[in-house]
Amino acid sequence: MPKQGPLLVVSNHPNTFMDPVVTASLLQQQVYFIAKSTVFGSGFQNWVLRQMHLIPIQRREDNPQQEVNNAEAFAASFKALQEDKTLLIFPEGNSFNQRRLRKIKTGAARIALGAEAEHNFSLGIKILPVGLNYSAPTRFRSDVFVNVGEPIEVADYAAAYQQDGSSAVQALTETMRQRLESLIIHTPTDEEDELARQIEAVYKEELSATIPATAPAYAHDFLLTREIIKSINYFSRVSPERVSSLKQKISAYQLELTRLRLHDAVVGKGSPAVFWQSIIGALLLALGLPVFLFGLLHNYVPYLIPSKVARAATDEEEWYAPVMLTVGMFAFPIFYALETWLVFEWLGLTGSSILAYLVALPFSGFFALGYWGMLQKTQAHWVLLRLFVKRKDTLAKLRLQRACIIQELEQAKQEYLQHAKHLHVSREQ
């Protein structure tokens, strides 16, 4: 990421206030944010938000009856870019918790071109596209892959802008759309996104061998999912009935997994491996039980409160993560302070003892999270062992379902790779 401006960072917007936090945290310089005017309110609130470098911009959908006037916002943005500052804008306008890019607005292009036009395209403004890809936007400690694209030189559009400003704005906006779409997981419909997730759950491990050796490890999941979606798009065009049949088979298989309280990762394992993993898992769980209980006792309530507040405060998933983050920032310190005070009053701990207790609170909380994950994994192994012993026919049927799906996906993969190879050769010719 460039370390200085004039820079306009544009990004997709799947997770409300988490998106500017994630993006700005990766920029070394001070960042100014283009924010919708509805977050501004009283005089004091306006002052606070402006100290946080927020620039309010009006949107027609916020006040349909009111005429939109963004002259002040554009002037402030021009001034920031002229002073070599960095602006962050989300050109979709609204936040959507979906793996796709919505129609983007022209404001970012108008700001960049307008600022350059005032100085005869001598400022050197760059537009940096950034793709945000969350693995689970509402889940604590889930991953986000920040995919940074190549900067767009605004001066390249000088001749087009001088000839026809409106057409130049549209052209630059289209370039941003194409760049952003290439940096994110983009599923055209909810149905295709659901199928992609189902294929990921069953087949992603088998696909890992197709990833180029030069690809960094942190990008593997992104690259695999993107190729899965491309292949779904291809087969949806050439053989839609095949896609529909596959979707039904995977849905039936996952329904059976849910009924048996299993997950796909353990179904293909042999009985000796499952047996020993169950034994080792049980031993580790027994050894870690005291620390788990300590962590659970001291962290469960502040861990639970943020999610309860988020679900009570809004029905929109896009707001869950920022609400939980904000509430958690207060809930954990307050409860830790209260628990430390109670231990001081009841047990009389002081000095290094009370400090050790305080330090143990967050660490035991993280341990409890890891312990819970191991417990769920070990439980799945126990369920599978029980099927080995008592319901071999059910397990055999489940594995046959999985084998048929894998075989069909493998065949589709070979056909798609052959198609991609022919397409590559045709383009070269």
Side-chain angles (χ1 to χ4, degrees), residues 166-219:
S166 179
S167 296
V169 166
Q170 294 297 333
L172 181 52
T173 300
E174 176 61 17
T175 300
M176 284 190 283
R177 184 196 67 77
Q178 293 175 0
R179 297 283 183 94
L180 283 173
E181 203 168 281
S182 70
L183 296 171
I184 65 171
I185 299 301
H186 181 77
T187 54
T189 66
D190 290 339
E191 291 75 18
E192 290 193 13
D193 187 61
E194 182 185 357
L195 179 57
R197 291 181 188 276
Q198 290 175 332
I199 294 174
E200 286 177 89
V202 176
Y203 195 54
K204 182 178 273 190
E205 203 65 37
E206 283 80 357
L207 282 174
S208 58
T210 64
I211 293 295
T214 54
Y218 57 78

Side-chain angles (χ1 to χ4, degrees), residues 128-142:
L128 183 71
V130 174
L132 299 176
N133 302 272
Y134 292 87
S135 63
T138 63
R139 184 168 56 81
F140 180 55
R141 298 192 75 204
S142 56

